[in-house]
Amino acid sequence: MDTCITRSFTLTFTMRSGSNAICDLLRGNGLGNPGEWFQNPIVANPDVWMEEFLKLVEQNQAEGIFGSKMAIYHRLRLDESLRRVQIGR
């Protein structure tokens, strides 16, 4: 992966809070390509999870900035996946 992520951010949200409009503004001003990248599990297999995670970040960054948008249940799913990968190593 060639691009170096120099900055990242996470926008937390609740339903109907205007988070899509905020993401559009951030994207339009060159501040990444924020989205709900962690809404669904990346992969179940811990052996390839980190590779898939890095691929997702690389594919959804813009000019070295990675932005994500997460509700609490997205974060919980991401945390659980990270725990599985850590235990698997």
Side-chain angles (χ1 to χ4, degrees):
M1 299 190 191
D2 296 336
T3 304
C4 179
I5 304 300
T6 58
R7 292 182 283 169
S8 66
F9 64 90
T10 299
L11 177 70
T12 58
F13 73 98
T14 58
M15 302 302 282
R16 310 296 308 156
S17 63
S19 58
N20 285 329
I22 292 170
C23 286
D24 290 344
L25 287 169
L26 291 165
R27 189 178 300 109
N29 284 287
L31 297 171
N33 183 27
E36 293 181 49
W37 309 123
F38 305 110
Q39 184 173 1
N40 299 309
I42 297 171
V43 291
N45 183 346
D47 294 333
V48 296
W49 190 91
M50 188 57 71
E51 181 180 319
E52 293 298 314
F53 175 82
L54 293 173
K55 189 184 309 181
L56 181 143
V57 170
E58 174 67 22
Q59 290 172 346
N60 295 292
Q61 62 83 32
E63 299 181 30
I65 302 172
F66 175 74
S68 64
K69 177 181 148 184
M70 286 191 226
I72 184 66
Y73 46 89
H74 299 156
R75 180 56 196 245
L76 294 172
R77 192 172 294 132
L78 178 61
D79 287 349
E80 179 58 30
S81 295
L82 287 167
R83 271 192 290 282
R84 276 194 215 124
V85 169
Q86 187 65 28
I87 291 169
R89 290 187 180 224

